[in-house]
Amino acid sequence: MLATTLQGFTLGLAMIIPIGAQNAFVLSRGIHRNHHLLTATLCSFCDLVLIAIGVFGGANLIAANPVGLTVLTWGGVLFLGWFGVRSLRSAWRGQGEGLADSPQLMGARSVLAMTLGVTLLNPHVYLDTLMLLGSLGSQVIEPLRPAFAAGAMLASLVWFYSLALGAAALAPWLARGRVQQGIDLLVGLIMLALALQLALGR
């Protein structure tokens, strides 16, 4: 059972670590110390639900509904494109005012909406967490599937909280004007690249 849990943990990290919309947003909130624990909690909770659905049969349902996946994909293209342009505009304007006056600071409701957006409107979350991780988990013998799911869920919790707390700890350096401009530029380019990738169906 421990080996199965470790397998789920390792595969879970492999799916989560690559830089994407979720990670970029968690990093941004951590740098600004702007509801970063709320962001990490929401991302982890969504992952936990999606992992459970995928491992226990949801991957097959997604695969059987190509129309829904198409709608989700184009919704993701629009959302990621908007987020990317927003970040590039922020990089262009610069953050010389300092962290406290940053236009990137958001209220709790805005953080909630954006976190759910970069999570639930991002088809990569469904393709990686539900389809790929879910299909791998469904191949594990049924008595060990809860252990596999628990390992993957633990990976999500460890990753998102580490990212949020790590970014917050390094905020005095990361929030400097030029550094923040570079981060906003990188986040914007990542978001637009993901939007283009989704639009091209790759």
Side-chain angles (χ1 to χ4, degrees):
M1 182 175 290
L2 179 59
T4 305
T5 303
L6 289 174
Q7 180 187 21
F9 183 86
T10 303
L11 290 172
L13 278 182
M15 301 296 165
I16 298 169
I17 287 179
I19 295 178
Q22 269 187 317
N23 287 338
F25 189 66
V26 174
L27 182 65
S28 174
R29 293 310 92 206
I31 291 170
H32 289 89
R33 295 176 179 172
N34 178 218
H35 300 294
H36 54 294
L37 293 181
L38 172 62
T39 305
T41 299
L42 288 172
C43 287
S44 298
F45 177 75
C46 290
D47 259 18
L48 266 56
V49 172
L50 293 174
I51 289 168
I53 293 173
V55 171
F56 297 107
N60 296 329
L61 295 176
I62 297 294
N65 188 9
V67 175
L69 189 59
T70 299
V71 172
L72 180 67
T73 296
W74 285 104
V77 169
L78 293 174
F79 181 83
L80 293 173
W82 169 79
F83 194 95
V85 170
R86 180 177 180 272
S87 295
L88 291 180
R89 287 180 59 192
S90 179
W92 177 260
R93 289 195 302 265
Q95 302 292 339
E97 311 92 339
L99 180 61
D101 301 320
S102 172
Q104 289 284 17
L105 293 178
M106 301 178 182
R109 290 184 180 180
S110 296
V111 169
L112 173 64
M114 288 294 295
T115 304
L116 293 177
V118 297
T119 301
L120 301 180
L121 290 178
N122 182 4
H124 280 294
V125 172
Y126 297 93
L127 294 174
D128 292 344
T129 306
L130 259 178
M131 303 264 320
L132 186 53
L133 190 59
S135 63
L136 290 172
S138 65
Q139 294 173 18
V140 176
I141 60 174
E142 192 167 348
L144 292 179
R145 285 180 193 171
F148 180 92
M153 292 174 180
L154 180 61
S156 178
L157 289 167
V158 169
W159 173 253
F160 284 121
Y161 279 104
S162 296
L163 186 62
L165 292 171
L170 295 173
W173 179 76
L174 293 174
R176 293 175 182 172
R178 291 297 183 184
V179 175
Q180 185 61 54
Q181 273 187 283
I183 291 172
D184 286 336
L185 177 62
L186 178 62
V187 169
L189 292 176
I190 289 171
M191 297 300 177
L192 292 180
L194 288 173
L196 181 61
Q197 184 183 45
L198 288 174
L200 296 176
R202 296 179 183 177

